[in-house]
Amino acid sequence: MMPSESDSMMVKRKEMAGLELEGSRRSKKKKQGGTPRPACSWVHFSREFIKEYSASHPESSGLKVATRAASDAWKVMTLEEKSKYTKRAREVWDDYLSSAPAREPKPRKQANLVTRCSPGRLVNVLKHFTVDQKEAVKSMGFGSLLDLKCRTLRRSLCLWLLERFNTIRRSLEICGERIPLYPHDVELVMGLPATGKDVVNSGPDDLVTELRQKYNASNRGISVRFLEERLGQPEAGDDFKRAFLLYVLGTLLCPTARLDVSPSFLHILTDMDCIHEYNWAKFLLDRLVREVSRFRQGKQRAVGGCLLFLQIFYYECVAIGGTCEPGPVVVPCLSLWTEEAISEREKQEKELGGYGCGEVICKERGLGLGLLHDRDHTDVLPLREVAVRVNRGTLVRQDENLENVPFAYKNENTPPVRIDNYTTYKTPLDYTTPYTSQSTCPILNCNFTGLFHELSDHFTNKHWDSGRRFQYNSPLPVSLGMDETFLVLQAEDDGALFLLNKGTENIGHTVMVTCIGPSNSNERFHYCVVSERGSSSSSLRLKSYTQTLPGRVEGIPPADFLLVPFGYLNSSGELNLEVCIWNSSDLGEV
């Protein structure tokens, strides 16, 4: 049955009405503001094709048939045939980008803080521990957590602190001041040890295959509820210790963005006898910086890391309601901050107008300063009234009478060293001692000591992958990460060992090169260090002679160094340098 003329007219009227409706919608969009986005290559082709098709097919029933014909033709076209329209669309798009005004960014709504750090969950588990289980926790070095009284995070405060957390410099920029964060601060706040071996949570999968099966570890992680069931049993042996360590890392100290506990922590459990020997404070701080960086990069919705540390650190560092005199500080600080104390503090913050209205007293409280093992230059510690740790229980002002106070430190035969009103128990390197030909290995946790040539052979055989080999009088590009304080350089010609040392100051990093060898050596090395700022033409350069030291030491004697501002670091916080070393005996005086 053929359609009548009246039916054809009706179809055309509907199509025209549809075109008018679409045209009105487009005009509304134009009136609402904004330049319309340019068309793609298919649209350019279809417009041209439909125009020609309608002219050559007057019997066509409408736009729908012509569009379908254009689609069929486009599908069989080759890339060369389409290139004409692709080029046209690209030209229009380039004109659009060059002429269109920049879009104003939409105001970002402050989202609710999503975090897996849950101190209240840990408190609920701890209150059911038996005496033996508490002793097991203390034996691992986590006894301070048994005094945890804070159950909830103040999320508004944590969001405020995260906005002011500089992950590159590892500092909080609050109240008009920059407060650096050190592992020592984690020790004072959380009670975790800030000395010892670095925590390594990686390794071959076959080493933890049995543990993965034991704790039902999947690709997503280890179930928190499963660990809570394990901790609810009265057993207090190694199985309990492993479950507790996984639980406390996943819920408080080092939580990730996921609901479950990261299976990478299983590598820490392979040797339970060494758990108390690790530097847990440094591990907590490293993970916090890593998780906050990932959150800011948009790689995860939730914020990982121990936000409770940031919260209590703020309470301890900022005084409100008038200037507070620095008094004795209870260590760890988390034992004093109950729910009632935090609620009262939050009430005072609101009355003063919000966070950041107080006075920074971190130096008086012994926070944000670091210890000798946290810094590379002990002669520039910005200390005013720093406290001495006593029995790992209280911090006592330096001007108090300490004659009858029993100090607790590892070596009781080591006298205290006083630096700028600061007392700490650490043996310094005496540069006035008689010459010794013995040199020590610069690698951490390696106790090798021997003659210079023996040390060179030892490093070549045992630590060949821990340094960089170089040629004299040849520039060598190197990078130092945020946590790297030195890099070992070994000459290919004679096996000589050098240290590229990196320190941290308030405005940047200090860089210098030292030589490992006998201190009375007459052989001198000249070196040059260059740091460039990204792709700009700005650069910093230092030319100097190396000092010869028996190994890697803390508190290097006064020497020339290059001060590289933080602005020279790359986006990952790495310091890129170019180092050139040559033997000055071959060149004469420079």
Side-chain angles (χ1 to χ4, degrees):
M1 180 178 179
M2 297 293 294
S4 63
E5 185 177 351
S6 60
D7 294 339
S8 300
M9 292 296 295
M10 184 67 70
V11 171
K12 288 184 178 181
R13 286 175 183 174
K14 289 183 179 180
E15 290 177 355
M16 292 297 294
L19 291 174
E20 291 177 359
L21 179 60
E22 187 167 347
S24 64
R25 290 175 180 173
R26 289 178 180 176
S27 62
K28 285 182 180 180
K29 288 184 178 180
K30 290 182 180 180
K31 290 180 181 179
Q32 290 175 358
T35 306
R37 294 170 64 88
C40 62
S41 55
W42 148 252
V43 175
H44 285 286
F45 166 75
S46 62
R47 288 174 179 171
E48 183 177 301
F49 182 90
I50 292 173
K51 186 176 181 180
E52 296 177 355
Y53 185 87
S54 300
S56 59
H57 296 77
E59 75 283 359
S60 175
S61 60
L63 182 63
K64 186 175 182 180
V65 176
T67 304
R68 183 177 302 168
S71 177
D72 295 338
W74 179 261
K75 292 176 182 179
V76 298
M77 289 175 63
T78 64
L79 293 177
E80 293 182 0
E81 294 172 335
K82 293 181 179 179
S83 61
K84 168 186 175 182
Y85 306 99
T86 303
K87 182 179 179 181
R88 186 188 305 174
R90 185 176 292 113
E91 292 174 353
V92 176
W93 179 257
D94 292 339
D95 294 339
Y96 168 77
L97 292 179
S98 60
S99 60
R103 291 187 177 183
E104 295 183 3
K106 295 181 179 180
R108 184 177 179 181
K109 296 181 179 180
Q110 182 174 343
N112 294 328
L113 177 65
V114 180
T115 178
R116 310 306 177 197
C117 183
S118 179
R121 195 163 190 169
L122 179 61
V123 170
N124 291 335
V125 172
L126 292 177
K127 66 182 181 181
H128 297 293
F129 279 3
T130 64
V131 176
D132 293 339
Q133 289 175 333
K134 291 181 180 179
E135 290 299 323
V137 172
K138 294 178 182 178
S139 68
M140 292 188 293
F142 294 90
S144 60
L145 300 181
L146 298 173
D147 296 326
L148 178 63
K149 299 179 178 64
C150 173
R151 302 181 63 90
T152 57
L153 290 175
R154 269 38 182 190
R155 296 177 182 256
S156 57
L157 172 59
C158 291
L159 273 173
W160 186 82
L161 291 173
L162 288 174
E163 293 174 353
R164 291 155 180 81
F165 187 16
N166 191 323
T167 56
I168 301 298
R169 298 180 177 180
R170 295 192 170 205
S171 62
L172 281 175
E173 300 174 358
I174 56 178
C175 304
E177 295 192 29
R178 179 180 294 116
I179 308 175
L181 299 175
Y182 298 101
H184 173 60
D185 301 319
V186 180
E187 182 178 27
L188 294 181
V189 173
M190 306 296 294
L192 303 179
T195 58
K197 301 184 296 184
D198 287 344
V199 180
V200 179
N201 63 318
S202 61
D205 292 338
D206 55 351
L207 294 180
V208 294
T209 301
E210 185 178 346
L211 290 175
R212 290 182 68 94
Q213 296 175 352
K214 188 172 186 177
Y215 292 97
N216 297 335
S218 63
N219 292 332
R220 295 184 57 187
I222 304 170
S223 171
V224 173
R225 293 187 180 277
F226 173 80
L227 294 175
E228 288 176 344
E229 293 175 0
R230 285 291 188 96
L231 295 175
Q233 301 174 3
E235 188 264 339
D238 283 349
D239 287 342
F240 166 80
K241 293 180 180 179
R242 291 190 181 96
F244 174 80
L245 193 58
L246 289 172
Y247 188 79
V248 76
L249 289 174
T251 59
L252 180 67
L253 302 182
C254 307
T256 62
R258 296 184 175 183
L259 289 170
D260 297 327
V261 181
S262 173
S264 66
F265 295 149
L266 291 173
H267 290 279
I268 307 173
L269 311 181
T270 54
D271 189 359
M272 294 302 296
D273 295 333
C274 298
I275 296 299
H276 66 285
E277 300 176 2
Y278 289 128
N279 188 337
W280 290 105
K282 180 178 181 297
F283 185 63
L284 182 150
L285 186 58
D286 291 344
R287 296 286 296 195
L288 177 62
V289 172
R290 171 183 177 271
E291 292 294 326
V292 175
S293 298
R294 288 176 60 85
F295 171 74
R296 287 182 175 172
Q297 294 169 7
K299 295 182 179 180
Q300 55 194 38
R301 284 186 61 252
V303 184
C306 186
L307 300 185
L308 179 65
F309 162 69
L310 288 182
Q311 175 177 308
I312 298 180
F313 184 84
Y314 171 80
Y315 291 153
E316 290 288 336
C317 285
V318 179
I320 59 176
T323 304
C324 297
E325 290 294 329
V329 181
V330 175
V331 178
C333 303
L334 64 82
S335 62
L336 285 184
W337 288 98
T338 62
E339 285 294 305
E340 293 76 13
I342 293 176
S343 298
E344 180 63 26
R345 171 61 183 254
E346 290 290 315
K347 179 181 178 181
Q348 295 176 2
E349 294 275 2
K350 291 181 179 179
E351 292 175 352
L352 291 175
Y355 302 117
C357 297
E359 176 187 1
V360 176
I361 59 169
C362 60
K363 294 180 179 180
E364 289 83 352
R365 307 290 283 178
L367 295 167
L369 300 171
L371 285 175
L372 291 180
H373 57 265
D374 292 331
R375 300 176 65 91
D376 294 308
H377 299 280
T378 59
D379 55 339
V380 292
L381 287 174
L383 303 178
R384 290 185 294 170
E385 294 180 90
V386 189
V388 179
R389 189 155 41 125
V390 181
N391 279 343
R392 200 170 181 175
T394 58
L395 288 175
V396 181
R397 294 265 310 270
Q398 184 65 54
D399 53 4
E400 294 184 14
N401 184 9
L402 304 179
E403 295 180 354
N404 299 321
V405 181
F407 290 98
Y409 46 90
K410 291 185 178 180
N411 185 0
E412 296 183 357
N413 297 321
T414 302
V417 180
R418 184 180 300 275
I419 300 179
D420 293 342
N421 297 326
Y422 185 76
T423 302
T424 183
Y425 293 86
K426 188 174 185 65
T427 305
L429 182 65
D430 187 0
Y431 296 98
T432 63
T433 54
Y435 154 72
T436 174
S437 61
Q438 299 289 316
S439 299
T440 59
C441 181
I443 301 301
L444 297 175
N445 303 323
C446 182
N447 299 321
F448 177 85
T449 301
L451 300 176
F452 167 71
H453 67 276
E454 295 174 340
L455 175 61
S456 179
D457 294 339
H458 163 78
F459 188 87
T460 302
N461 297 328
K462 299 294 184 181
H463 308 298
W464 59 270
D465 59 342
S466 299
R468 293 285 302 275
R469 296 180 67 83
F470 72 96
Q471 294 180 348
Y472 288 121
N473 199 24
S474 179
L476 175 71
V478 298
S479 295
L480 291 172
M482 288 191 300
D483 301 328
E484 293 179 305
T485 58
F486 71 95
L487 176 66
V488 183
L489 306 175
Q490 186 174 32
E492 294 182 357
D493 297 343
D494 54 9
L497 295 174
F498 299 84
L499 284 178
L500 177 62
N501 304 278
K502 185 188 78 172
T504 303
E505 299 300 330
N506 292 333
I507 61 173
H509 292 297
T510 58
V511 180
M512 68 173 68
V513 177
T514 57
C515 177
I516 300 178
S519 56
N520 69 339
S521 175
N522 294 325
E523 191 173 21
R524 303 184 71 189
F525 296 90
H526 191 78
Y527 73 91
C528 177
V529 179
V530 179
S531 175
E532 295 184 350
R533 184 171 188 172
S535 59
S536 66
S537 59
S538 301
S539 64
L540 301 173
R541 182 184 303 268
L542 169 68
K543 289 185 177 180
S544 183
Y545 287 102
T546 61
Q547 291 191 73
T548 302
L549 302 174
R552 187 177 64 86
V553 298
E554 296 181 358
I556 298 176
D560 296 337
F561 61 85
L562 179 66
L563 179 60
V564 183
F566 291 118
Y568 278 66
L569 304 180
N570 62 19
S571 58
S572 302
E574 294 178 337
L575 177 60
N576 296 324
L577 302 168
E578 185 178 85
V579 182
C580 185
I581 304 175
W582 57 89
N583 193 330
S584 60
S585 62
D586 298 333
L587 302 173
E589 291 299 327
V590 178

